[in-house]
Amino acid sequence: VMSVSAFYLLKRRHEELARRAFTVGLVFAALSSVLILVSGHSQAVAVAENQPAKLAAFEGHFHTGDGATALYAIGWPDEEAEQVRMGVAIPGMLTFLVHGDFSTPVEGLDQTPPEDRPPVVIPFVTYHVMVGLRMYFIGLTLLGLFLLWRKKLFQMRWLLWVFVLSVPLPYVANQAGWVATEVGRQ
């Protein structure tokens, strides 16, 4: 709805309808984008409890430590070396998200027999694509709400183009999440 409405606004067609439709879509998208954090968190906690090897694959968590486990924002998992290369990690964040504290260790892949471990590269990459896109949606829609409140949104043609061109990204995020889930359970 936002993409089509933004396109109409850029082409100066059906402007009144496009403004109303975009506004309704933007409010709905912002609310659902933020609420997906709650849903995603509860799903991640369930995965940590029921499928710890899958969570370890999602996060490139090869070795169970004694305390807090970092959460990788980006990186490339090297399954042979059992480490994440070029990783940018938030210290202790995975432990906090899974257990609500900074001391309980998160089970790594080393706790699963090698023959039962899921592949790591595909779940890691697709999971991070999904999460990265979700954060993009949150930022984009909150920016849109702020500019709508300031009555500047519909004058910012570059941002309207961002909304137009972002239309395939929710599908990419959905499919990436699906691939991460299914490959991670193999």
Side-chain angles (χ1 to χ4, degrees):
V1 169
M2 291 185 303
S3 181
V4 171
S5 298
F7 184 77
Y8 280 150
L9 290 167
L10 289 164
K11 297 299 179 183
R12 304 209 186 311
R13 295 179 12 207
H14 314 292
E15 288 185 72
E16 185 57 36
L17 173 65
R19 285 176 197 271
R20 285 188 307 213
F22 189 94
T23 300
V24 170
L26 180 61
V27 169
F28 180 78
L31 287 173
S32 62
S33 292
V34 170
L35 289 175
I36 201 72
L37 290 176
V38 176
S39 171
H41 174 69
S42 66
Q43 290 175 41
V45 170
V47 168
E49 189 175 308
N50 300 311
Q51 297 175 306
K54 183 197 293 191
L55 179 70
F58 285 171
E59 295 297 344
H61 182 47
F62 292 98
H63 304 285
T64 306
D66 292 335
T69 305
L71 181 138
Y72 283 99
I74 59 171
W76 187 263
D78 181 341
E79 289 183 76
E80 233 175 77
E82 294 190 341
Q83 66 183 32
V84 176
R85 303 220 183 259
M86 299 174 290
V88 175
I90 304 167
M93 186 56 75
L94 185 59
T95 296
F96 179 73
L97 290 174
V98 171
H99 298 296
D101 63 47
F102 288 102
S103 59
T104 307
V106 175
E107 187 175 311
L109 285 168
D110 60 347
Q111 300 299 306
T112 303
E115 66 273 8
D116 295 334
R117 292 180 190 171
V120 178
V121 173
I122 293 173
F124 181 94
V125 170
T126 55
Y127 178 77
H128 283 80
V129 165
M130 177 194 70
V131 170
L133 286 172
R134 295 294 181 218
M135 299 310 289
Y136 167 77
F137 302 144
I138 290 169
L140 182 62
T141 57
L142 292 180
L143 174 63
L145 279 180
F146 175 75
L147 293 171
L148 180 69
W149 173 66
R150 301 281 304 199
K151 299 186 183 346
K152 297 181 186 277
L153 176 64
F154 299 123
Q155 290 78 42
M156 304 191 87
R157 294 181 60 79
W158 68 269
L159 187 57
L160 292 174
W161 275 113
V162 170
F163 278 102
V164 169
L165 298 174
S166 293
V167 73
L169 297 181
Y171 300 102
V172 171
N174 184 276
Q175 293 303 310
W178 185 253
V179 169
T181 296
E182 294 305 323
V183 174
R185 81 172 77 226
Q186 299 305 313

